[in-house]
Amino acid sequence: MARQRTCSASALALAVALVVGILASIPVEVESIGVCNGMQGDSQSLPSRADVVQFYRTKGISAMRIYAPDPETLQALGDTGIDLIVDVGNGNLSALASDAGLAASWVQENVLAYPRVSIKYIAAGNEVEGGDTQNIVRAMKNLNAALSKASRPDVKVSTAVKMSVLASSSPPSSGVFKDAYMSEVTQLLKDTSAPLLANVYPYIAKRDTPTIDLSFALFQPNTNPVNDNGNGLTYTNLFDAIVDAMYTAMEQAGASDVPIVVSESGWPSAGDDLATPTNAQAYNQNLIDHVGKGTPKRAGPLETYIFAMFNENQKGGLETERNFGLFNGPDKTPVYPIRFTN
């Protein structure tokens, strides 16, 4: 009997080990990571909308950002459980700010018409500059009013900003907003329990300031961490330093409880000396592996969206703008190896 019990115990131990091994081999989604789905490309550059959504599911990507409410994409997202940031488009911002009825129609056509889509945030503007910044808060208020009337408090309205909204960002403890309109934005976000969407690009900072250590920008081990005497924290990568400068600016604006969602971050693979597949792979993979930890100032998962899923051959501007994609289209081959799961 003793031998039988021993054999049974051994069998049980083996069974447990097998189960643990099987569970360990199942891909686990990196919950903090989404990917931006840019659509400025032709059929030679991008897969069909339905194929793109299926590709997100295949890769275990749980969140997407689109830069305008695209009906085919919204239809394909139904019942997938993929969270969505949908932009209103900068060209519509002025009209949404001046016409509450138009904002209500926008919500009806692009949110309420897709009840099976998990729309998480509406971005009222992306990197808005100049006089158009005066439309941001009014557009946000009109969209919030329409969502409230429709009993959709789960959909949060924000705006996506770039780092130039900061008058100072180095060291991170010196972060402060440059313009008064950002105080209005942050107070509205505070009142509505919505996050600030921030586009964070260490690539751009390194490109514009060549003296920045490349390893510091790529999350790689480096011998020159930044010690911030203002907050007593040490920074081993540029991404954390930029995000914490934004957190500090939020605190200075009286909105310390407003979370930040990194609505874009990425590194191009072609177009200049910094934009290589090696650098792009290092940055984006390290970003995926890093954001679950948060920053020195704010520990915990930091919701982040990589820019972008595919190279877009019809984007204007510098050559790098057309080479931020993780994948080529329409065959969906990787530009370089990338892993979304742990």
Side-chain angles (χ1 to χ4, degrees):
M1 291 297 292
R3 180 174 179 176
Q4 183 178 353
R5 284 197 298 271
T6 301
C7 291
S8 297
S10 299
L12 178 60
L14 178 59
V16 169
L18 287 172
V19 170
V20 170
I22 290 169
L23 290 175
S25 68
I26 297 173
V28 178
E29 290 181 359
V30 180
E31 294 294 343
S32 300
I33 282 290
V35 182
C36 301
N37 178 19
M39 301 180 189
Q40 295 186 48
D42 57 25
S43 60
Q44 301 303 309
S45 173
L46 300 175
S48 72
R49 306 295 200 249
D51 283 350
V52 169
V53 171
Q54 183 56 45
F55 195 49
Y56 272 67
R57 300 183 74 183
T58 300
K59 292 296 181 181
I61 302 169
S62 60
M64 176 189 291
R65 180 182 179 184
I66 57 176
Y67 293 87
D70 178 73
E72 286 185 58
T73 299
L74 289 167
Q75 193 68 39
L77 283 168
D79 295 325
T80 62
I82 294 174
D83 289 334
L84 183 68
I85 302 177
V86 58
D87 287 43
V88 301
N90 287 3
N92 296 320
L93 199 61
S94 176
L96 291 169
S98 61
D99 189 340
L102 182 63
S105 296
W106 192 96
V107 167
Q108 176 62 48
E109 294 170 7
N110 301 303
V111 178
L112 304 183
Y114 300 95
R116 298 186 301 171
V117 178
S118 179
I119 298 174
K120 193 172 185 180
Y121 310 121
I122 295 171
N126 182 52
E127 300 185 348
V128 180
E129 296 180 304
D132 286 341
T133 57
Q134 302 309 310
N135 294 319
I136 295 173
V137 169
R138 294 200 306 272
M140 289 173 64
K141 286 182 175 179
N142 284 341
L143 289 165
N144 275 318
L147 289 166
S148 177
K149 187 175 181 180
S151 300
R152 289 298 304 271
D154 56 303
V155 181
K156 300 300 181 181
V157 180
S158 186
T159 189
V161 301
K162 56 182 177 178
M163 292 305 102
S164 61
V165 299
L166 298 177
S168 174
S169 61
S170 183
S173 61
S174 70
V176 64
F177 289 121
K178 181 170 58 180
D179 297 314
Y181 80 89
M182 281 303 299
S183 293
E184 297 180 58
V185 168
T186 54
Q187 286 305 308
L188 181 56
L189 296 174
K190 181 179 178 180
D191 292 343
T192 57
S193 301
L196 177 67
L197 305 179
N199 297 343
V200 178
Y201 282 99
Y203 159 74
I204 294 175
K206 167 61 179 169
R207 182 195 67 191
D208 295 346
T209 310
T211 55
I212 292 175
D213 188 340
L214 179 60
S215 62
F216 188 66
L218 294 175
F219 295 95
Q220 293 173 333
N222 60 83
T223 57
N224 295 302
V226 173
N227 297 307
D228 188 337
N229 294 326
N231 60 20
L233 299 172
T234 298
Y235 292 88
T236 59
N237 65 81
L238 185 54
F239 176 87
D240 283 351
I242 295 172
V243 174
D244 276 1
M246 186 66 73
Y247 276 128
T248 303
M250 300 286 281
E251 292 171 356
Q252 294 297 319
S256 59
D257 293 337
V258 173
I260 288 173
V261 169
V262 177
S263 45
E264 286 183 17
S265 191
W267 197 288
S269 61
D272 65 26
D273 291 343
L274 288 172
T276 67
T278 298
N279 287 346
Q281 193 275 340
Y283 178 80
N284 285 319
Q285 189 63 68
N286 289 334
L287 177 68
I288 290 169
D289 295 340
H290 176 78
V291 294
K293 307 168 188 174
T295 70
K297 192 173 181 66
R298 299 283 178 93
L302 175 61
E303 187 176 350
T304 299
Y305 292 73
I306 294 176
F307 186 85
M309 195 64 163
F310 296 98
N311 286 327
E312 300 171 79
N313 66 356
Q314 293 185 339
K315 286 197 74 174
L318 300 172
E319 178 65 20
T320 51
E321 287 295 317
R322 294 180 284 280
N323 288 282
F324 271 90
L326 303 173
F327 297 92
N328 299 298
D331 60 4
K332 304 186 286 291
T333 55
V335 177
Y336 43 80
I338 198 76
R339 168 182 45 78
F340 295 100
T341 54
N342 288 330

